[in-house]
Amino acid sequence: MKLKYILLVTLFVGIVSSAQMAGSADWVIDADSHNIYSGNGPMSIGGTESNPQKIPTPPQSGISSTTAETYWNGGLSHWANDCVNQGYIVETLPYNGQITYGLTSNAQDLSRYAAYVVDEPNIKYTTD
């Protein structure tokens, strides 16, 4: 049976270095670091915004129907807990990740996922 993966693109959409943000909210599954600068240009290290890692920690294997929404550190952690309880594996596209389809060299290519979620983008997608 093929695993069901969900890729969440929250603060970072489009080709993620294009300063795509979801407002000032912390709409991420889990962020262990808060060191992103978004400004008006490409995102980079050197600020105080959430920097969600690809795989949330602690591990998804520790989630059950009674897991607290504070298990992960993000505004969407409870939603992600629900997805895991439905049999999905959740991931986040890091700020320096790339949205592609059919590019097998990209470990997070969209062809590998059952669902692709973009949470509240406020800037149009771009190719730059």
Side-chain angles (χ1 to χ4, degrees):
M1 181 170 95
K2 186 176 178 180
L3 293 175
K4 300 186 298 184
Y5 284 88
I6 291 178
L7 176 64
L8 178 68
V9 180
T10 59
L11 297 177
F12 322 112
V13 297
I15 302 302
V16 276
S17 62
S18 299
Q20 308 287 352
M21 296 294 293
S24 61
D26 187 17
W27 297 123
V28 299
I29 293 173
D30 181 49
D32 293 342
S33 299
H34 297 85
N35 61 354
I36 292 291
Y37 172 76
S38 58
N40 292 323
M43 291 186 181
S44 60
I45 300 295
T48 58
E49 300 288 339
S50 293
N51 184 357
Q53 63 278 2
K54 176 182 174 183
I55 306 295
T57 57
Q60 297 177 47
S61 59
I63 292 177
S64 71
S65 60
T66 60
T67 301
E69 67 179 85
T70 55
Y71 183 74
W72 288 325
N73 181 22
L76 295 174
S77 59
H78 190 70
W79 170 82
N81 288 355
D82 288 343
C83 290
V84 171
N85 280 321
Q86 295 297 317
Y88 287 93
I89 297 168
V90 297
E91 294 183 4
T92 298
L93 184 68
Y95 84 95
N96 57 353
Q98 200 175 23
I99 298 172
T100 62
Y101 188 83
L103 183 63
T104 57
S105 62
N106 180 0
Q108 287 189 292
D109 185 77
L110 294 180
S111 64
R112 303 174 193 268
Y113 298 90
Y116 169 67
V117 179
V118 181
D119 184 55
E120 296 189 30
N122 67 353
I123 299 175
K124 293 180 183 179
Y125 280 94
T126 65
T127 58
D128 57 347

